[in-house]
């Protein structure tokens, strides 16, 4: 299986398995193998990044949390918490998906429910970072 190299300085130690014609990747948060989709490939990079580089505990990471937005059930990709407070909401797209104003607005709508201080919209190749201050998003480039 050919996986794209994503825009992370670090390399991570992923565990894979193959069953019939499908590939799976081990999720350290949920402690199970998940179907390896392009979006999952991006999410697992962020999970490994926060666990290994930023030294968060697995209990601080929440994946696939259900939220209700305008009466519809949605799922957020990844939420980083500190003492159960939402800190960073990460919305993952597949590498071939272009990040647009529309995809950023989707992430901002999700965050209107979650209330994290920061959001990251990513396709693994490009990352858009923004802080929520004074009722608006301030974009920034991470160090």
């Amino acid at each position: 299986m050919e996986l794209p190299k994503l825009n992370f300085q670090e390399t991570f130690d992923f565990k894979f398995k193959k069953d019939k014609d499908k590939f799976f990747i081990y999720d350290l948060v949920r402690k199970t193998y998940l179907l390896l989709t392009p979006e999952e490939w991006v999410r697992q990079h962020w999970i490994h990044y926060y666990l290994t580089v930023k030294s968060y505990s697995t209990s601080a990471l929440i994946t696939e949390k259900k939220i209700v937005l305008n009466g519809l059930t949605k799922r957020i990709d990844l939420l980083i918490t500190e003492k159960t407070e939402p800190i960073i909401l990460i919305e993952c797209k597949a590498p071939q998906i272009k990040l647009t104003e529309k995809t950023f607005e989707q992430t901002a709508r999700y965050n209107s429910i979650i209330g994290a201080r920061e959001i990251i919209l990513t396709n693994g190749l490009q990352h858009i970072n923004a802080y929520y201050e004074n009722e608006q998003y301030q974009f920034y480039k991470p160090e």
Side-chain angles (χ1 to χ4, degrees):
M1 174 170 211
E2 193 62 38
L3 296 166
K5 169 92 176 87
L6 300 183
N7 186 13
F8 285 81
Q9 291 178 338
E10 305 79 14
T11 53
F12 302 112
D13 189 20
F14 297 108
K15 285 198 273 181
F16 301 98
K17 76 175 186 180
K18 186 178 179 188
D19 184 22
K20 298 184 176 71
D21 289 345
K22 292 188 167 71
F23 287 88
F24 296 83
I25 189 167
Y26 189 75
D27 182 321
L28 295 168
V29 175
R30 290 180 267 186
K31 296 179 175 43
T32 188
Y33 280 92
L34 301 172
L35 183 63
L36 181 55
T37 62
E39 183 180 301
E40 195 60 52
W41 180 234
V42 173
R43 181 185 4 240
Q44 290 304 319
H45 274 74
W46 283 100
I47 288 171
H48 279 254
Y49 174 79
Y50 277 99
L51 293 176
T52 59
V53 178
K54 295 294 193 179
S55 301
Y56 278 80
S57 69
T58 53
S59 62
L61 278 63
I62 299 170
T63 59
E64 297 273 317
K65 178 179 169 64
K66 284 184 187 175
I67 60 169
V68 177
L69 181 66
N70 299 328
L72 299 172
T73 301
K74 304 287 186 183
R75 289 182 189 271
I76 60 168
D77 290 323
L78 180 59
L79 180 63
I80 311 302
T81 64
E82 285 178 8
K83 297 185 176 101
T84 71
E85 290 298 310
I87 303 301
I88 306 165
L89 174 62
I90 302 169
E91 179 66 22
C92 302
K93 301 294 183 192
Q96 71 272 18
I97 302 294
K98 230 178 129 164
L99 303 184
T100 64
E101 193 172 326
K102 188 176 177 184
T103 51
F104 182 83
E105 286 170 359
Q106 172 198 0
T107 309
R109 277 193 303 279
Y110 288 0
N111 197 42
S112 71
I113 306 294
I114 298 295
R117 292 192 307 247
E118 181 181 349
I119 61 176
I120 300 171
L121 172 61
T122 179
N123 62 9
L125 304 172
Q126 179 188 6
H127 318 301
I128 298 173
N129 300 64
Y131 279 111
Y132 190 68
E133 287 179 333
N134 303 323
E135 302 194 15
Q136 64 180 357
Y137 283 98
Q138 305 291 330
F139 295 93
Y140 74 96
K141 288 267 185 238
E143 314 265 316

